[in-house]
Amino acid sequence: SGRMLLSSAYNVWGIVLKKFAVVTTIVLLVFSAALLVFLMPAHLQVRKVEPALPSVESLRGLLHLENTPARVSFVASSSQQTDSFVLGHSSVLVEWSNGDIVMIDAGMDETAAIEFGKLIQSVMGGGEPEVHGTIASLLGERIMQVKAVGFTHLHIDHTQGILNFCATRGEGVRLLQSSYQRDLHNFNTTEGAELVSESCLEPTRSEGSGLISFDQYPGLAMYPLGGHTPGSTLFAVADGDRLLLFSGDITNSKADLIEDRPKPLVYSYLMVPENTKRTALLRDWLGELDEHDDIEVVVSHDVDNMRAVLQAF
């Protein structure tokens, strides 16, 4: 009878485990389906943005214009040591001899930078975030020289600082933006897009998928990239006899670009829906451009790369 009871208990336990396995499988399938439904539109959207790459000659054409920028510098609103590099949130300042400045990316304010830094710690490891100030405080009185602003893309860590900037600077600043960046948004860029559209920045109509230049700012052009986000944008700047290419977040570090290292699949497929085929093409393209003596690719989040190439503002 004891054996019969034990056998009966095993049978009951086996039935429970089978039911648990069935329920768990159903839950996982439902979760996976919901995740797929949530992510699929963003993945399909970013895969539609694949404009033809500009030639080296068309990029180098910026070097032969008159009245090109007199100075290109950067300022980091925050920085953080990760396991592999110093990750920063920087703004690039392109200045002409008349004092006009075009700013690329706006970083974050102190509170947002600390919160974002904690997220980076949990995902990438590393040290505590160091906050250096808002873009407005770091620019000081020279903020009034900023006549236009562009963004490599509209993730919140590149756009949130525009709130403090506008509160200090006020109206009269142009927004340099491609139609892709203006019109195509997903769950990771909607918040940043709203911040920009509701800010003090005045939109400039910029259509097309080729190099977009501006008569008021000779030696500066932007090109829709795609890959990382639908609105990811390359900014090309003539800096004396060299061409600077600001590639945004196509890679997180310059080493990732040079060594052709993709981002983790969890990142590219779940956290930030990327067109991995496109980012692989862009890494190859940008890596080849960077091999030219007169061309330097600058990666947005790589503070050491910024310091090696640009002057501090």
Side-chain angles (χ1 to χ4, degrees):
S1 60
R3 290 181 180 179
M4 291 178 63
L5 288 173
L6 185 60
S7 175
S8 177
Y10 278 135
N11 289 336
V12 171
W13 183 242
I15 292 171
V16 170
L17 288 177
K18 288 179 181 179
K19 288 185 176 180
F20 178 78
V22 170
V23 171
T24 301
T25 301
I26 292 173
V27 170
L28 288 174
L29 288 173
V30 170
F31 176 77
S32 298
L35 189 63
L36 184 63
V37 169
F38 177 68
L39 292 172
M40 188 57 69
H43 276 288
L44 292 175
Q45 182 189 60
V46 75
R47 280 160 174 73
K48 293 179 181 178
V49 182
E50 295 184 334
L53 299 173
S55 66
V56 178
E57 291 72 22
S58 63
L59 291 168
R60 280 198 177 115
L62 295 173
L63 296 172
H64 306 303
L65 301 175
E66 295 182 356
N67 302 316
T68 55
R71 186 171 186 254
V72 185
S73 56
F74 84 103
V75 59
S77 56
S78 62
S79 60
Q80 182 175 9
Q81 179 67 56
T82 70
D83 290 341
S84 55
F85 72 108
V86 179
L87 184 150
H89 296 91
S90 302
S91 298
V92 173
L93 293 310
V94 185
E95 185 174 353
W96 281 261
S97 58
N98 64 0
D100 287 353
I101 293 175
V102 171
M103 182 175 78
I104 302 170
D105 289 335
M108 296 175 285
D109 65 24
E110 289 94 335
T111 301
I114 291 173
E115 292 177 354
F116 196 90
K118 291 178 180 178
L119 173 63
I120 294 297
Q121 274 186 303
S122 64
V123 174
M124 300 177 64
E128 295 285 337
E130 296 182 28
V131 179
H132 310 299
T134 65
I135 186 61
S137 66
L138 293 168
L139 289 176
E141 294 181 358
R142 298 194 66 192
I143 194 172
M144 300 308 296
Q145 295 175 233
V146 178
K147 306 299 182 183
V149 175
F151 298 93
T152 57
H153 60 290
L154 298 181
H155 282 163
I156 199 69
D157 57 317
H158 292 253
T159 57
Q160 195 270 344
I162 204 64
L163 294 174
N164 184 271
F165 173 87
C166 284
T168 304
R169 173 64 173 78
E171 303 292 331
V173 184
R174 297 175 63 192
L175 170 62
L176 308 182
Q177 188 176 53
S178 73
S179 57
Y180 290 113
Q181 190 179 98
R182 181 191 66 216
D183 300 333
L184 301 180
H185 309 131
N186 61 37
F187 64 90
N188 273 328
T189 62
T190 298
E191 184 181 3
E194 291 176 353
L195 283 178
V196 172
S197 66
E198 296 171 3
S199 71
C200 64
L201 306 181
E202 301 169 359
T204 299
R205 191 172 183 82
S206 302
E207 304 295 340
S209 58
L211 276 176
I212 302 168
S213 56
F214 308 91
D215 293 339
Q216 301 93 328
Y217 310 115
L220 169 71
M222 63 184 186
Y223 163 72
L225 284 179
H228 178 56
T229 72
S232 287
T233 302
L234 175 83
F235 283 86
V237 179
D239 181 35
D241 57 0
R242 67 175 179 171
L243 184 67
L244 302 177
L245 302 178
F246 296 95
S247 61
D249 287 10
I250 299 304
T251 61
N252 287 330
S253 71
K254 185 64 175 284
D256 290 341
L257 177 68
I258 299 303
E259 298 174 19
D260 193 19
R261 288 197 297 254
K263 296 173 187 173
L265 292 180
V266 171
Y267 178 94
S268 296
Y269 284 92
L270 298 182
M271 297 176 64
V272 179
E274 292 187 309
N275 181 348
T276 54
K277 180 180 177 182
R278 179 70 173 180
T279 53
L281 174 68
L282 293 172
R283 286 197 308 273
D284 184 64
W285 178 64
L286 291 166
E288 289 184 359
L289 289 172
D290 192 69
E291 292 178 357
H292 293 274
D293 292 339
D294 60 344
I295 299 178
E296 184 79 39
V297 177
V298 185
V299 177
S300 288
H301 285 305
D302 193 328
V303 173
D304 289 335
N305 182 212
M306 287 274 183
R307 288 173 177 159
V309 176
L310 307 176
Q311 305 175 55
F313 183 75

mmCIF file of all heavy atoms in Angstrom, residues 99-137:
data_model
loop_
_atom_site.group_PDB
_atom_site.id
_atom_site.type_symbol
_atom_site.label_atom_id
_atom_site.label_comp_id
_atom_site.label_asym_id
_atom_site.label_seq_id
_atom_site.Cartn_x
_atom_site.Cartn_y
_atom_site.Cartn_z
ATOM 1 N N GLY A 99 30.956 84.283 -35.982
ATOM 2 C CA GLY A 99 30.495 83.980 -34.633
ATOM 3 C C GLY A 99 29.290 83.066 -34.570
ATOM 4 O O GLY A 99 28.943 82.580 -33.485
ATOM 5 N N ASP A 100 28.643 82.791 -35.698
ATOM 6 C CA ASP A 100 27.484 81.899 -35.709
ATOM 7 C C ASP A 100 27.905 80.469 -35.350
ATOM 8 O O ASP A 100 28.950 79.986 -35.792
ATOM 9 C CB ASP A 100 26.814 81.888 -37.089
ATOM 10 C CG ASP A 100 26.053 83.174 -37.366
ATOM 11 O OD1 ASP A 100 25.933 84.012 -36.445
ATOM 12 O OD2 ASP A 100 25.580 83.346 -38.510
ATOM 13 N N ILE A 101 27.061 79.806 -34.568
ATOM 14 C CA ILE A 101 27.330 78.440 -34.135
ATOM 15 C C ILE A 101 26.143 77.541 -34.498
ATOM 16 O O ILE A 101 24.986 77.915 -34.289
ATOM 17 C CB ILE A 101 27.572 78.369 -32.621
ATOM 18 C CG1 ILE A 101 28.870 79.087 -32.238
ATOM 19 C CG2 ILE A 101 27.617 76.912 -32.132
ATOM 20 C CD1 ILE A 101 29.120 79.165 -30.733
ATOM 21 N N VAL A 102 26.450 76.381 -35.040
ATOM 22 C CA VAL A 102 25.461 75.308 -35.197
ATOM 23 C C VAL A 102 25.811 74.226 -34.173
ATOM 24 O O VAL A 102 26.955 73.772 -34.115
ATOM 25 C CB VAL A 102 25.469 74.723 -36.619
ATOM 26 C CG1 VAL A 102 24.589 73.461 -36.681
ATOM 27 C CG2 VAL A 102 24.972 75.757 -37.630
ATOM 28 N N MET A 103 24.833 73.842 -33.379
ATOM 29 C CA MET A 103 25.035 72.826 -32.348
ATOM 30 C C MET A 103 24.443 71.493 -32.809
ATOM 31 O O MET A 103 23.323 71.453 -33.325
ATOM 32 C CB MET A 103 24.371 73.261 -31.036
ATOM 33 C CG MET A 103 24.581 72.285 -29.876
ATOM 34 S SD MET A 103 23.898 72.909 -28.316
ATOM 35 C CE MET A 103 22.138 72.576 -28.558
ATOM 36 N N ILE A 104 25.202 70.420 -32.634
ATOM 37 C CA ILE A 104 24.732 69.080 -32.974
ATOM 38 C C ILE A 104 24.562 68.283 -31.681
ATOM 39 O O ILE A 104 25.536 68.051 -30.960
ATOM 40 C CB ILE A 104 25.725 68.367 -33.905
ATOM 41 C CG1 ILE A 104 25.942 69.191 -35.186
ATOM 42 C CG2 ILE A 104 25.225 66.967 -34.253
ATOM 43 C CD1 ILE A 104 27.089 68.686 -36.050
ATOM 44 N N ASP A 105 23.319 67.898 -31.388
ATOM 45 C CA ASP A 105 22.913 67.171 -30.171
ATOM 46 C C ASP A 105 22.940 68.096 -28.948
ATOM 47 O O ASP A 105 23.681 69.088 -28.906
ATOM 48 C CB ASP A 105 23.751 65.929 -29.936
ATOM 49 C CG ASP A 105 23.448 64.815 -30.954
ATOM 50 O OD1 ASP A 105 22.338 64.805 -31.500
ATOM 51 O OD2 ASP A 105 24.327 63.975 -31.198
ATOM 52 N N ALA A 106 22.112 67.727 -27.947
ATOM 53 C CA ALA A 106 21.916 68.622 -26.805
ATOM 54 C C ALA A 106 22.152 67.966 -25.455
ATOM 55 O O ALA A 106 22.013 68.611 -24.423
ATOM 56 C CB ALA A 106 20.491 69.207 -26.845
ATOM 57 N N GLY A 107 22.504 66.670 -25.432
ATOM 58 C CA GLY A 107 22.755 66.022 -24.159
ATOM 59 C C GLY A 107 21.536 66.007 -23.256
ATOM 60 O O GLY A 107 20.395 66.028 -23.729
ATOM 61 N N MET A 108 21.779 66.000 -21.952
ATOM 62 C CA MET A 108 20.698 65.936 -20.953
ATOM 63 C C MET A 108 20.998 66.879 -19.801
ATOM 64 O O MET A 108 22.134 67.298 -19.618
ATOM 65 C CB MET A 108 20.562 64.505 -20.407
ATOM 66 C CG MET A 108 20.159 63.468 -21.417
ATOM 67 S SD MET A 108 20.167 61.786 -20.717
ATOM 68 C CE MET A 108 21.938 61.473 -20.667
ATOM 69 N N ASP A 109 19.958 67.168 -19.007
ATOM 70 C CA ASP A 109 20.207 67.930 -17.786
ATOM 71 C C ASP A 109 20.706 66.982 -16.696
ATOM 72 O O ASP A 109 20.821 65.769 -16.900
ATOM 73 C CB ASP A 109 18.968 68.715 -17.346
ATOM 74 C CG ASP A 109 17.792 67.825 -16.949
ATOM 75 O OD1 ASP A 109 18.010 66.647 -16.575
ATOM 76 O OD2 ASP A 109 16.643 68.303 -17.027
ATOM 77 N N GLU A 110 21.007 67.539 -15.519
ATOM 78 C CA GLU A 110 21.650 66.760 -14.467
ATOM 79 C C GLU A 110 20.824 65.556 -14.018
ATOM 80 O O GLU A 110 21.329 64.431 -13.919
ATOM 81 C CB GLU A 110 21.943 67.650 -13.253
ATOM 82 C CG GLU A 110 23.052 68.661 -13.476
ATOM 83 C CD GLU A 110 22.524 70.013 -13.928
ATOM 84 O OE1 GLU A 110 21.407 70.044 -14.513
ATOM 85 O OE2 GLU A 110 23.211 71.027 -13.703
ATOM 86 N N THR A 111 19.539 65.768 -13.787
ATOM 87 C CA THR A 111 18.686 64.687 -13.290
ATOM 88 C C THR A 111 18.573 63.560 -14.309
ATOM 89 O O THR A 111 18.724 62.374 -13.978
ATOM 90 C CB THR A 111 17.281 65.221 -12.953
ATOM 91 O OG1 THR A 111 17.397 66.241 -11.959
ATOM 92 C CG2 THR A 111 16.394 64.104 -12.432
ATOM 93 N N ALA A 112 18.327 63.930 -15.558
ATOM 94 C CA ALA A 112 18.188 62.926 -16.611
ATOM 95 C C ALA A 112 19.498 62.175 -16.829
ATOM 96 O O ALA A 112 19.500 60.965 -17.072
ATOM 97 C CB ALA A 112 17.728 63.585 -17.909
ATOM 98 N N ALA A 113 20.623 62.882 -16.731
ATOM 99 C CA ALA A 113 21.932 62.250 -16.942
ATOM 100 C C ALA A 113 22.226 61.216 -15.855
ATOM 101 O O ALA A 113 22.764 60.136 -16.143
ATOM 102 C CB ALA A 113 23.030 63.305 -16.979
ATOM 103 N N ILE A 114 21.877 61.521 -14.622
ATOM 104 C CA ILE A 114 22.099 60.578 -13.524
ATOM 105 C C ILE A 114 21.222 59.344 -13.693
ATOM 106 O O ILE A 114 21.673 58.202 -13.529
ATOM 107 C CB ILE A 114 21.832 61.255 -12.167
ATOM 108 C CG1 ILE A 114 22.915 62.311 -11.887
ATOM 109 C CG2 ILE A 114 21.795 60.221 -11.043
ATOM 110 C CD1 ILE A 114 22.658 63.161 -10.669
ATOM 111 N N GLU A 115 19.959 59.542 -14.037
ATOM 112 C CA GLU A 115 19.049 58.409 -14.240
ATOM 113 C C GLU A 115 19.517 57.538 -15.405
ATOM 114 O O GLU A 115 19.497 56.300 -15.317
ATOM 115 C CB GLU A 115 17.626 58.920 -14.489
ATOM 116 C CG GLU A 115 16.993 59.580 -13.264
ATOM 117 C CD GLU A 115 15.616 60.143 -13.549
ATOM 118 O OE1 GLU A 115 15.209 60.120 -14.738
ATOM 119 O OE2 GLU A 115 14.947 60.609 -12.611
ATOM 120 N N PHE A 116 19.947 58.181 -16.479
ATOM 121 C CA PHE A 116 20.429 57.430 -17.638
ATOM 122 C C PHE A 116 21.712 56.685 -17.287
ATOM 123 O O PHE A 116 21.928 55.552 -17.715
ATOM 124 C CB PHE A 116 20.671 58.382 -18.809
ATOM 125 C CG PHE A 116 20.804 57.682 -20.133
ATOM 126 C CD1 PHE A 116 19.700 57.448 -20.929
ATOM 127 C CD2 PHE A 116 22.046 57.254 -20.596
ATOM 128 C CE1 PHE A 116 19.814 56.802 -22.150
ATOM 129 C CE2 PHE A 116 22.173 56.609 -21.809
ATOM 130 C CZ PHE A 116 21.046 56.377 -22.593
ATOM 131 N N GLY A 117 22.552 57.321 -16.489
ATOM 132 C CA GLY A 117 23.799 56.682 -16.070
ATOM 133 C C GLY A 117 23.563 55.423 -15.265
ATOM 134 O O GLY A 117 24.300 54.436 -15.402
ATOM 135 N N LYS A 118 22.535 55.425 -14.428
ATOM 136 C CA LYS A 118 22.204 54.231 -13.648
ATOM 137 C C LYS A 118 21.754 53.098 -14.568
ATOM 138 O O LYS A 118 22.071 51.921 -14.327
ATOM 139 C CB LYS A 118 21.118 54.563 -12.629
ATOM 140 C CG LYS A 118 21.588 55.489 -11.512
ATOM 141 C CD LYS A 118 20.461 55.816 -10.551
ATOM 142 C CE LYS A 118 20.953 56.756 -9.435
ATOM 143 N NZ LYS A 118 19.842 57.127 -8.521
ATOM 144 N N LEU A 119 21.019 53.452 -15.619
ATOM 145 C CA LEU A 119 20.612 52.451 -16.610
ATOM 146 C C LEU A 119 21.835 51.867 -17.306
ATOM 147 O O LEU A 119 21.935 50.643 -17.495
ATOM 148 C CB LEU A 119 19.668 53.088 -17.635
ATOM 149 C CG LEU A 119 19.278 52.212 -18.824
ATOM 150 C CD1 LEU A 119 18.505 50.990 -18.351
ATOM 151 C CD2 LEU A 119 18.452 53.012 -19.830
ATOM 152 N N ILE A 120 22.781 52.725 -17.669
ATOM 153 C CA ILE A 120 24.003 52.270 -18.324
ATOM 154 C C ILE A 120 24.781 51.340 -17.400
ATOM 155 O O ILE A 120 25.331 50.315 -17.829
ATOM 156 C CB ILE A 120 24.881 53.466 -18.741
ATOM 157 C CG1 ILE A 120 24.186 54.288 -19.829
ATOM 158 C CG2 ILE A 120 26.250 52.997 -19.223
ATOM 159 C CD1 ILE A 120 23.956 53.537 -21.122
ATOM 160 N N GLN A 121 24.827 51.665 -16.116
ATOM 161 C CA GLN A 121 25.517 50.810 -15.149
ATOM 162 C C GLN A 121 24.923 49.405 -15.117
ATOM 163 O O GLN A 121 25.640 48.406 -15.091
ATOM 164 C CB GLN A 121 25.424 51.413 -13.750
ATOM 165 C CG GLN A 121 26.510 52.418 -13.433
ATOM 166 C CD GLN A 121 26.443 52.874 -11.993
ATOM 167 O OE1 GLN A 121 25.416 53.380 -11.544
ATOM 168 N NE2 GLN A 121 27.521 52.684 -11.261
ATOM 169 N N SER A 122 23.601 49.328 -15.149
ATOM 170 C CA SER A 122 22.947 48.031 -15.071
ATOM 171 C C SER A 122 23.119 47.225 -16.353
ATOM 172 O O SER A 122 23.167 45.993 -16.313
ATOM 173 C CB SER A 122 21.450 48.214 -14.778
ATOM 174 O OG SER A 122 20.799 48.900 -15.847
ATOM 175 N N VAL A 123 23.242 47.909 -17.485
ATOM 176 C CA VAL A 123 23.338 47.230 -18.775
ATOM 177 C C VAL A 123 24.788 46.974 -19.181
ATOM 178 O O VAL A 123 25.136 45.884 -19.652
ATOM 179 C CB VAL A 123 22.631 48.051 -19.878
ATOM 180 C CG1 VAL A 123 22.843 47.419 -21.249
ATOM 181 C CG2 VAL A 123 21.141 48.155 -19.580
ATOM 182 N N MET A 124 25.657 47.967 -18.988
ATOM 183 C CA MET A 124 27.024 47.895 -19.491
ATOM 184 C C MET A 124 28.081 47.827 -18.402
ATOM 185 O O MET A 124 29.263 47.669 -18.695
ATOM 186 C CB MET A 124 27.311 49.109 -20.399
ATOM 187 C CG MET A 124 26.406 49.222 -21.611
ATOM 188 S SD MET A 124 26.713 50.721 -22.597
ATOM 189 C CE MET A 124 28.393 50.421 -23.163
ATOM 190 N N GLY A 125 27.674 47.973 -17.151
ATOM 191 C CA GLY A 125 28.656 48.003 -16.079
ATOM 192 C C GLY A 125 29.376 49.335 -16.031
ATOM 193 O O GLY A 125 29.025 50.287 -16.714
ATOM 194 N N GLY A 126 30.399 49.449 -15.195
ATOM 195 C CA GLY A 126 31.184 50.676 -15.129
ATOM 196 C C GLY A 126 30.911 51.475 -13.881
ATOM 197 O O GLY A 126 30.296 51.006 -12.919
ATOM 198 N N GLY A 127 31.384 52.735 -13.923
ATOM 199 C CA GLY A 127 31.331 53.582 -12.740
ATOM 200 C C GLY A 127 30.121 54.483 -12.696
ATOM 201 O O GLY A 127 29.213 54.413 -13.526
ATOM 202 N N GLU A 128 30.123 55.353 -11.684
ATOM 203 C CA GLU A 128 29.047 56.309 -11.508
ATOM 204 C C GLU A 128 29.099 57.376 -12.600
ATOM 205 O O GLU A 128 30.176 57.765 -13.038
ATOM 206 C CB GLU A 128 29.170 56.987 -10.149
ATOM 207 C CG GLU A 128 28.981 56.064 -8.961
ATOM 208 C CD GLU A 128 27.524 55.691 -8.754
ATOM 209 O OE1 GLU A 128 26.643 56.448 -9.221
ATOM 210 O OE2 GLU A 128 27.277 54.646 -8.132
ATOM 211 N N PRO A 129 27.945 57.866 -13.049
ATOM 212 C CA PRO A 129 27.948 58.955 -14.032
ATOM 213 C C PRO A 129 28.458 60.254 -13.421
ATOM 214 O O PRO A 129 28.166 60.559 -12.263
ATOM 215 C CB PRO A 129 26.470 59.072 -14.426
ATOM 216 C CG PRO A 129 25.718 58.516 -13.259
ATOM 217 C CD PRO A 129 26.593 57.429 -12.688
ATOM 218 N N GLU A 130 29.237 60.997 -14.179
ATOM 219 C CA GLU A 130 29.719 62.313 -13.761
ATOM 220 C C GLU A 130 28.982 63.377 -14.567
ATOM 221 O O GLU A 130 29.028 63.368 -15.798
ATOM 222 C CB GLU A 130 31.225 62.434 -13.997
ATOM 223 C CG GLU A 130 32.060 61.470 -13.177
ATOM 224 C CD GLU A 130 33.545 61.676 -13.413
ATOM 225 O OE1 GLU A 130 33.933 62.823 -13.750
ATOM 226 O OE2 GLU A 130 34.317 60.711 -13.276
ATOM 227 N N VAL A 131 28.307 64.258 -13.884
ATOM 228 C CA VAL A 131 27.538 65.310 -14.549
ATOM 229 C C VAL A 131 28.360 66.594 -14.567
ATOM 230 O O VAL A 131 28.847 67.040 -13.525
ATOM 231 C CB VAL A 131 26.191 65.538 -13.837
ATOM 232 C CG1 VAL A 131 25.420 66.660 -14.523
ATOM 233 C CG2 VAL A 131 25.372 64.252 -13.834
ATOM 234 N N HIS A 132 28.525 67.168 -15.735
ATOM 235 C CA HIS A 132 29.361 68.358 -15.886
ATOM 236 C C HIS A 132 28.545 69.639 -16.051
ATOM 237 O O HIS A 132 29.104 70.735 -16.034
ATOM 238 C CB HIS A 132 30.281 68.187 -17.100
ATOM 239 C CG HIS A 132 31.029 66.887 -17.098
ATOM 240 N ND1 HIS A 132 31.907 66.532 -16.096
ATOM 241 C CD2 HIS A 132 31.015 65.841 -17.967
ATOM 242 C CE1 HIS A 132 32.413 65.333 -16.343
ATOM 243 N NE2 HIS A 132 31.877 64.892 -17.470
ATOM 244 N N GLY A 133 27.236 69.510 -16.219
ATOM 245 C CA GLY A 133 26.379 70.670 -16.389
ATOM 246 C C GLY A 133 25.470 70.511 -17.593
ATOM 247 O O GLY A 133 25.641 69.601 -18.408
ATOM 248 N N THR A 134 24.476 71.380 -17.701
ATOM 249 C CA THR A 134 23.614 71.372 -18.885
ATOM 250 C C THR A 134 24.331 72.065 -20.033
ATOM 251 O O THR A 134 25.303 72.815 -19.830
ATOM 252 C CB THR A 134 22.301 72.109 -18.611
ATOM 253 O OG1 THR A 134 22.594 73.496 -18.371
ATOM 254 C CG2 THR A 134 21.586 71.528 -17.394
ATOM 255 N N ILE A 135 23.851 71.848 -21.230
ATOM 256 C CA ILE A 135 24.463 72.512 -22.372
ATOM 257 C C ILE A 135 24.342 74.022 -22.242
ATOM 258 O O ILE A 135 25.252 74.768 -22.619
ATOM 259 C CB ILE A 135 23.850 72.011 -23.704
ATOM 260 C CG1 ILE A 135 24.596 72.598 -24.897
ATOM 261 C CG2 ILE A 135 22.373 72.317 -23.793
ATOM 262 C CD1 ILE A 135 26.067 72.230 -24.965
ATOM 263 N N ALA A 136 23.241 74.487 -21.640
ATOM 264 C CA ALA A 136 23.063 75.927 -21.462
ATOM 265 C C ALA A 136 24.097 76.499 -20.504
ATOM 266 O O ALA A 136 24.712 77.543 -20.767
ATOM 267 C CB ALA A 136 21.657 76.222 -20.960
ATOM 268 N N SER A 137 24.315 75.823 -19.372
ATOM 269 C CA SER A 137 25.288 76.336 -18.402
ATOM 270 C C SER A 137 26.708 76.246 -18.945
ATOM 271 O O SER A 137 27.546 77.107 -18.657
ATOM 272 C CB SER A 137 25.169 75.568 -17.087
ATOM 273 O OG SER A 137 25.543 74.204 -17.247
#
